Amino acid sequence: MIRTVVFDLDGTLVHSAPDLQAAANRMLADLGHDPIDIEVVISFIGNGVEALVRRCLRHVGHDPQELSRALEMFHAYYARDLTTLTRPYPGVVPLLEQLQEGGFALGLCTNKPEKPARDLCQALDLERFFPVVLGGDTLEVRKPDPAPLRHVIAALGGTGPETLYVGDSETDYLTARRAGIRFAYFDGGYQNTEIAGFKPDLTVSHMGDLAALILQHAE
């Protein structure tokens, strides 16, 4: 039986890559580099903002010693245009409404820093679904360490056997497996390489299809 559902954010609930790309390219322009395309930026998403910025610098051959300065630039630009281009994936809002109405406990576990994660959810009217939001800087560790996911489940009053984690990446899959939690994979997100030994419990190509699958496991 599933009673608790925890979601990843970027690439799972929202298509945020265009705004991440815009912030990254403004940062790179300030550092004297040409822009990078969205496919490259998408390949850098999933392990937190610091990892994304570090990968951008490495991609253009910039001095890694300037990571702190580049991070400040990125955060400033991204905060300014957090949801200019970012939107929920089709079917996400009806899915969350249906699960909320069905009495499921819903939480968010992302590697995006907590403040922009909360600000993004507020701007897109998603915060009403998530009493618990945990970001990549909330704890001392981040995904794929299982501690963040376990923290969210505990805060929601859930248990491992009754929880489903929904994500789009290898990081999410490893997090769920290490936490001993069932995993639903959204294959319309940002994972663009094969995952070794990949055996998700559920797979969906449209987020709107997930509600029916979850309800089947809630009876």
Side-chain angles (χ1 to χ4, degrees):
M1 178 181 290
I2 295 173
R3 299 307 307 165
T4 302
V5 186
V6 183
F7 292 87
D8 173 51
L9 183 59
D10 298 281
T12 299
L13 294 178
V14 299
H15 180 37
S16 55
D19 281 319
L20 292 168
Q21 180 199 22
N25 281 337
R26 288 170 186 154
M27 171 197 74
L28 291 174
D30 286 352
L31 296 172
H33 296 286
D34 292 333
I36 56 180
D37 62 35
I38 195 164
E39 288 77 15
V40 173
V41 173
I42 286 174
S43 73
F44 294 162
I45 296 172
N47 296 102
V49 170
E50 183 175 331
L52 186 153
V53 171
R54 183 184 295 110
R55 290 164 178 167
C56 287
L57 296 182
R58 186 184 301 126
H59 182 78
V60 299
H62 193 84
D63 185 356
Q65 297 299 319
E66 289 204 73
L67 176 61
S68 294
R69 178 183 171 218
L71 268 171
E72 289 182 8
M73 293 177 181
F74 180 89
H75 280 301
Y77 284 128
Y78 189 48
R80 192 179 307 168
D81 290 293
L82 189 64
T83 56
T84 301
L85 301 171
T86 298
R87 297 291 182 272
Y89 282 106
V92 162
V93 173
L95 163 68
L96 296 175
E97 289 175 339
Q98 189 169 354
L99 293 179
Q100 188 177 65
E101 291 169 2
F104 291 86
L106 305 179
L108 199 64
C109 184
T110 173
N111 273 345
K112 183 190 281 310
E114 184 175 334
K115 186 180 187 309
R118 289 184 178 277
D119 289 346
L120 187 155
C121 287
Q122 182 177 18
L124 298 180
D125 194 30
L126 298 178
E127 64 173 347
R128 57 194 168 107
F129 299 111
F130 301 114
V132 177
V133 175
L134 188 145
D137 58 353
T138 305
L139 305 181
E140 293 184 357
V141 295
R142 62 167 61 98
K143 301 181 301 181
D145 191 294
L149 179 54
R150 288 173 176 160
H151 185 93
V152 173
I153 295 168
L156 290 169
T159 66
E162 293 182 340
T163 298
L164 179 72
Y165 185 45
V166 185
D168 73 302
S169 69
E170 181 175 15
T171 296
D172 297 326
Y173 176 67
L174 292 175
T175 302
R177 285 294 173 260
R178 292 171 184 177
I181 303 299
R182 281 175 286 185
F183 180 69
Y185 178 59
F186 173 51
D187 66 10
Y190 296 157
Q191 182 69 31
N192 54 13
T193 58
E194 292 187 5
I195 302 172
F198 189 50
K199 293 181 180 180
D201 299 280
L202 300 171
T203 299
V204 293
S205 298
H206 188 283
M207 289 299 286
D209 297 334
L210 187 58
L213 296 175
I214 291 174
L215 290 170
Q216 289 176 12
H217 290 81
E219 298 174 353

